[in-house]
Amino acid sequence: MTIKLPKAIEDYFDADRTGDPDAIAATFTEAGVVKDKGKTHRGRDAIREWMVEAGQLYTYTVEPFFIGTENGKTQVTAHVAGSFPGSPIDLRFFFVLAGDKVSELEITV
């Protein structure tokens, strides 16, 4: 299924597909925040490091298939498959946007 994503979210998933930590960090505001696996990463440098670490540990693909809103955030549910424990899995990505950038992302099961 193809879904229409807001530009900032589409940019995030496009950058994620490249595996380039700099490209991913650039989709966030300077003070952007990522919450993933019980950890919080604040600012582009921390987000870049989060992606460097993830890239060293795992390879994966992400295919968004649902978009909605929950508690004022844009929720995207995606099928994620790769070289990580529990693969494949459907994850929920909760985005807060600031114009054409992501200001907050929380990834949950």
Side-chain angles (χ1 to χ4, degrees):
M1 174 191 335
T2 302
I3 60 172
K4 179 68 176 151
L5 299 172
K7 181 167 179 10
I9 295 174
E10 184 177 339
D11 289 349
Y12 168 82
F13 284 113
D14 286 348
D16 187 56
R17 282 184 193 93
T18 71
D20 179 353
D22 291 321
I24 294 163
T27 67
F28 286 83
T29 61
E30 282 290 335
V33 175
V34 172
K35 297 176 184 175
D36 183 35
K37 295 188 279 184
K39 295 183 181 176
T40 300
H41 312 275
R42 296 183 188 281
R44 284 187 182 154
D45 289 340
I47 292 168
R48 183 178 302 105
E49 289 304 312
W50 165 68
M51 288 309 304
V52 166
E53 181 180 313
Q56 290 171 347
L57 295 175
Y58 313 113
T59 59
Y60 60 90
T61 60
V62 179
E63 293 301 325
F65 64 86
F66 171 83
I67 185 168
T69 57
E70 186 175 312
N71 298 324
K73 297 179 180 181
T74 302
Q75 176 196 335
V76 176
T77 304
H79 186 71
V80 183
S83 62
F84 57 88
S87 176
I89 190 169
D90 291 338
L91 295 178
R92 298 186 309 157
F93 295 74
F94 291 94
F95 291 90
V96 176
L97 305 180
D100 65 345
K101 300 287 184 189
V102 176
S103 63
E104 184 178 323
L105 169 60
E106 182 174 4
I107 303 171
T108 66
V109 176

